[in-house]
């Protein structure tokens, strides 16, 4: 009986090990996707800023961030002590909320871009972002974290654009890409940390990860 | 008897009056001593005392410079710096003037980087032209939060240091930190405000403990360690490039990037001397690469 109980326990531990291994693989793939999107964004951003024209295309240009509800992207900004202390679930949830809003925002940007090449690049980028969002939701399910669900796709993060040469609309577009950049930088570090926390948890069974 | 006493009392009084009541009109006033700061290239008029006493003269290093109560210096240069003395017609010393030449501060040229991301960033600055005069700096920074933005003092060893350390950093911010460096000296002040995104200015120090060992089959095994100033290489991974130079450093090849702390290079030429250096960079390619580490030299045996 004891032997049987030990064997069942062993199988459960092995199942857990396999699950954790799957999660680590999943995090690794999400991390690689983040790096790929960061690389894509560098090219799109340069083209988009040229498309917006001066002063947006000037290297040191930095307009004030509009404090409007239409740019309601949760900020990636954080202090290192707060960032380190985030629980796995909270870390993933923050990423999910941010990319839900950003996906809508970039879709809107693509829709209102008049340059066909840029529009196609932005739409391709959106499919990558959508994949990232799906990956994050999958991770949250695997770790047993409640997901918010995606933001309603019918509500655009940007208000309707009457004309492309409206300066305010250009500033909004500028800021969407800047927020996206910050989030991709942050996410790469978030997934690196998640990978390491899961490894630590697996190696030191029962000990709270660092 | 009465007359003798009276005369004696008068003498004592006169003696005491000489002792305690000095007649100041016979002693010259102490010379005035002052220092003034003058901008190079400007013109200046320096009056002696009230600037109206005739017969006074100005001397520099003991030699007569100009006679007259006012010293005019036109289109001043650094050579005009010195100690000027003003003298009365009878040679008496009226005034000593220390003249200091220099420039008012110009807005400092500021550069910031983060060798200890995410904990610290460093800003350093220069002044062109060099003000020459003693100049002190005020260095502060703040992050424009919507709720109470806090102004932090950028930490320095002393007020004359031209480098400071930022420690309360906001990571992944879309709105930049603002670094304010103000230079102040006797001729004025000047400010530079530099916006910085901390994630953009990462620049690790070069990797350390670079070791190169020969392996069988004309291979070199290169290993290194992350710079000790990088506080968290586990969460904030670095990637590394390795540079091989030969032919008196005219030819080079760069390999990598590697996330590991070692690599092996094969297919090397026997008898050749290689100089090997390693540099580090944030694994996402953010910010700048470090400078190359000090070269390690190894010569492959000819056999």
């Amino acid at each position: 009986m004891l032997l049987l109980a030990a064997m069942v326990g062993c199988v459960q531990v092995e199942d857990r090990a396999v699950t954790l291994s799957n999660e680590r693989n999943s995090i690794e793939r999400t991390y690689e996707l983040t790096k790929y999107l960061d690389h894509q964004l560098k090219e799109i951003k340069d083209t988009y800023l040229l498309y917006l024209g001066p002063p947006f295309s000037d290297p040191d240009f930095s307009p004030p961030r509009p404090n409007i509800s239409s740019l309601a992207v949760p900020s990636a900004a954080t202090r290192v002590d707060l960032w380190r202390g985030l629980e796995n679930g909270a870390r993933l949830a923050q990423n999910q909320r941010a990319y839900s809003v950003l996906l809508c925002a970039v879709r809107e940007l693509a829709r209102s871009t008049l340059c066909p090449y840029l529009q196609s690049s932005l739409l391709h980028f959106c499919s990558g972002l959508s994949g990232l969002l799906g990956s994050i939701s999958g991770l949250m399910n695997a770790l047993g974290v409640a997901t918010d669900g995606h933001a309603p796709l019918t509500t655009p993060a940007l208000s309707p654009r009457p004309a492309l040469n409206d300066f305010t609309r250009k500033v909004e577009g500028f800021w969407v890409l800047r927020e996206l950049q910050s989030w991709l930088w942050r996410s790469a570090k978030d997934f690196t940390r998640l990978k390491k926390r899961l490894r630590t948890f697996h190696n030191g069974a029962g000990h709270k990860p660092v | 008897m009465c007359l003798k006493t009276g005369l004696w009392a008068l003498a004592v009084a006169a003696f005491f009056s000489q002792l305690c009541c000095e007649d100041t009109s016979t002693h010259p006033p102490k010379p005035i001593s002052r220092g003034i700061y003058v901008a190079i290239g400007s013109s200046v008029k320096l009056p002696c005392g009230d600037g109206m006493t005739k017969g006074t003269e100005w001397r520099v290093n003991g030699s007569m410079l100009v006679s007259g109560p006012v010293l005019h210096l036109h289109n001043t240069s650094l050579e005009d710096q010195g100690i000027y003395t003003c003298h009365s017609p009878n040679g008496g010393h009226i005034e000593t003037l220390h003249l200091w030449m220099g420039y008012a501060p110009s807005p400092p040229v500021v550069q910031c980087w983060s060798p200890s991301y995410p904990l610290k960033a460093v800003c350093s600055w220069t002044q062109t032209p060099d003000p020459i005069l003693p100049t002190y700096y005020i260095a502060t920074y703040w992050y424009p939060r919507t709720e109470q933005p806090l102004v932090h003092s950028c930490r320095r060893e002393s007020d004359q240091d031209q480098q400071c350390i930022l420690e309360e950093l906001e990571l992944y911010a879309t709105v930049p930190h603002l670094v304010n460096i103000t230079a102040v000296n006797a001729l004025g002040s000047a400010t530079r405000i530099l916006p910085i995104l901390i994630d953009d200015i990462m620049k690790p120090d070069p990797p350390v403990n670079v070791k190169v060992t020969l392996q069988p089959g004309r291979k070199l095994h290169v290993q290194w360690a992350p710079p000790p100033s990088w506080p968290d290489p586990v969460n904030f991974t670095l990637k590394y490039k390795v540079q091989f130079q030969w032919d008196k450093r005219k030819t080079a090849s760069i390999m990598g990037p590697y996330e590991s702390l070692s690599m092996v290079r094969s297919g090397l030429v026997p008898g050749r001397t290689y100089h090997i250096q390693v540099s580090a960079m944030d694994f996402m390619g953010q910010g700048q690469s470090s400078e190359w580490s000090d070269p390690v030299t190894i010569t492959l045996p000819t056999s």
Side-chain angles (χ1 to χ4, degrees):
Chain A
M1 271 307 272
L2 272 172
L3 192 61
L4 194 63
M7 279 173 67
V8 168
C10 240
V11 167
Q12 280 180 338
V13 166
E14 273 184 21
D15 277 350
R16 182 76 184 124
V18 166
T19 312
L20 277 169
S21 171
N22 288 341
E23 281 152 15
R24 283 204 301 276
N25 288 339
S26 194
I27 292 174
E28 180 65 34
R29 282 195 302 274
T30 314
Y31 161 72
E32 292 294 334
L33 181 51
T34 307
K35 283 208 298 185
Y36 170 71
L37 288 171
D38 175 65
H39 177 74
Q40 263 200 308
L41 180 62
K42 280 183 179 63
E43 292 175 13
I44 291 177
K45 197 176 81 160
D46 288 342
T47 313
Y48 191 76
L49 291 178
L50 279 173
Y51 165 75
L52 290 181
F56 300 93
S57 48
D58 298 338
D60 294 329
F61 181 66
S62 185
R65 192 186 190 285
N67 187 20
I68 46 180
S69 56
S70 57
L71 199 60
V73 180
S75 177
T78 180
R79 300 278 296 275
V80 68
D81 46 347
L82 295 172
W83 179 83
R84 275 212 181 100
L86 273 176
E87 289 298 317
N88 295 343
R91 194 180 294 278
L92 286 167
Q94 285 188 7
N95 275 264
Q96 189 195 49
R97 268 194 294 278
Y99 287 114
S100 300
V101 177
L102 285 166
L103 179 57
C104 293
V106 180
R107 275 192 181 135
E108 180 56 32
L109 218 63
R111 192 194 65 78
S112 54
T113 299
L114 299 176
C115 166
Y117 167 76
L118 199 46
Q119 188 179 61
S120 148
S121 300
L122 284 167
L123 286 171
H124 180 70
F125 190 84
C126 283
S127 57
L129 265 186
S130 185
L132 179 60
L133 206 43
S135 214
I136 295 170
S137 301
L139 270 172
M140 290 172 81
N141 284 330
L143 292 176
V145 179
T147 64
D148 286 346
H150 294 196
L153 296 176
T154 49
T155 312
L158 299 173
S159 38
R161 303 170 67 107
L164 195 60
N165 55 4
D166 180 355
F167 187 76
T168 318
R169 303 300 302 158
K170 287 187 178 184
V171 169
E172 282 183 322
F174 177 94
W175 277 102
V176 166
L177 293 185
R178 180 167 270 191
E179 292 286 354
L180 196 42
Q181 176 72 87
S182 280
W183 265 106
L184 288 171
W185 283 344
R186 160 127 180 224
S187 296
K189 304 292 198 301
D190 279 331
F191 299 129
T192 304
R193 184 143 175 86
L194 273 168
K195 256 194 296 187
K196 285 167 170 114
R197 283 181 75 139
L198 281 186
R199 190 178 302 147
T200 313
F201 183 70
H202 178 55
N203 288 341
H207 292 292
K208 198 171 160 64
V210 173
Chain B
M1 185 68 178
C2 221
L3 187 63
K4 259 192 187 170
T5 314
L7 279 169
W8 190 80
L10 212 65
V12 166
F15 174 72
F16 274 112
S17 81
Q18 264 213 312
L19 273 182
C20 65
C21 311
E22 280 193 31
D23 183 357
T24 52
S25 63
T26 60
H27 289 266
K30 281 188 186 151
I32 301 164
S33 183
R34 56 188 175 122
I36 67 165
Y37 297 91
V38 177
I40 291 172
S42 66
S43 297
V44 66
K45 285 182 193 172
L46 304 168
C48 178
D50 59 7
M52 291 191 294
T53 312
K54 285 186 185 159
T56 51
E57 66 177 29
W58 279 100
R59 297 178 195 169
V60 63
N61 295 332
S63 319
M64 210 275 279
L65 184 64
V66 73
S67 78
V70 181
L71 173 61
H72 283 255
L73 294 173
H74 300 279
N75 194 18
T76 48
S77 70
L78 195 54
E79 282 73 43
D80 292 313
Q81 182 162 300
I83 300 173
Y84 296 76
T85 51
C86 172
H87 298 264
S88 60
N90 63 6
H93 180 195
I94 301 173
E95 184 174 333
T96 301
L97 192 68
H98 289 252
L99 198 72
W100 303 102
M101 301 303 304
Y103 295 101
S106 48
V109 175
V110 186
Q111 268 189 315
C112 299
W113 71 99
S114 179
S116 302
Y117 184 90
L119 298 183
K120 289 182 198 170
V122 180
C123 288
S124 87
W125 54 90
T126 53
Q127 282 263 281
T128 309
D130 175 23
I132 305 168
L133 297 172
T135 303
Y136 74 92
Y137 301 94
I138 304 165
T140 56
Y141 63 101
W142 76 96
Y143 176 70
R145 295 169 177 279
T146 44
E147 64 290 356
Q148 272 183 315
L150 261 175
V151 179
H152 302 278
S153 180
C154 190
R155 189 166 59 83
R156 271 180 298 157
E157 294 289 324
S158 78
D159 277 350
Q160 275 75 47
D161 269 4
Q162 293 187 237
Q163 184 165 287
C164 71
I165 298 174
L166 293 75
E167 284 167 311
E168 308 271 338
L169 302 177
E170 200 80 11
L171 312 177
Y172 316 118
T174 45
V175 179
H177 287 71
L178 295 168
V179 179
N180 178 332
I181 310 291
T182 301
V184 186
N185 70 18
L187 292 176
S189 70
T191 296
R192 172 87 63 193
I193 295 182
L194 185 72
I196 52 169
L197 285 172
I198 303 296
D199 316 292
D200 250 350
I201 62 166
M202 278 190 235
K203 182 177 176 177
D205 288 328
V208 296
N209 303 338
V210 180
K211 260 187 262 182
V212 182
T213 44
L214 190 61
Q215 287 189 335
R218 286 187 278 126
K219 290 183 196 169
L220 285 179
H221 178 238
V222 188
Q223 51 188 137
W224 57 87
S229 52
W230 195 258
D232 188 357
V234 169
N235 284 300
F236 299 92
T237 326
L238 293 168
K239 61 184 181 187
Y240 304 89
K241 287 182 291 189
V242 184
Q243 176 174 257
F244 290 81
Q245 280 180 310
W246 60 94
D247 281 344
K248 294 175 191 171
R249 309 240 198 141
K250 284 181 208 157
T251 327
S253 77
I254 297 176
M255 302 187 70
Y258 306 99
E259 275 191 34
S260 55
L261 296 175
S262 67
M263 58 82 72
V264 174
R265 177 148 185 195
S266 55
L268 298 166
V269 175
R272 186 175 274 174
T273 301
Y274 291 92
H275 310 277
I276 296 136
Q277 294 170 290
V278 188
S279 91
M281 185 172 197
D282 168 67
F283 77 113
M284 287 279 280
Q286 281 177 251
Q288 280 183 276
S289 278
S290 72
E291 301 299 326
W292 291 106
S293 60
D294 289 335
V296 173
T297 303
I298 192 164
T299 305
L300 261 63
T302 44
S303 56

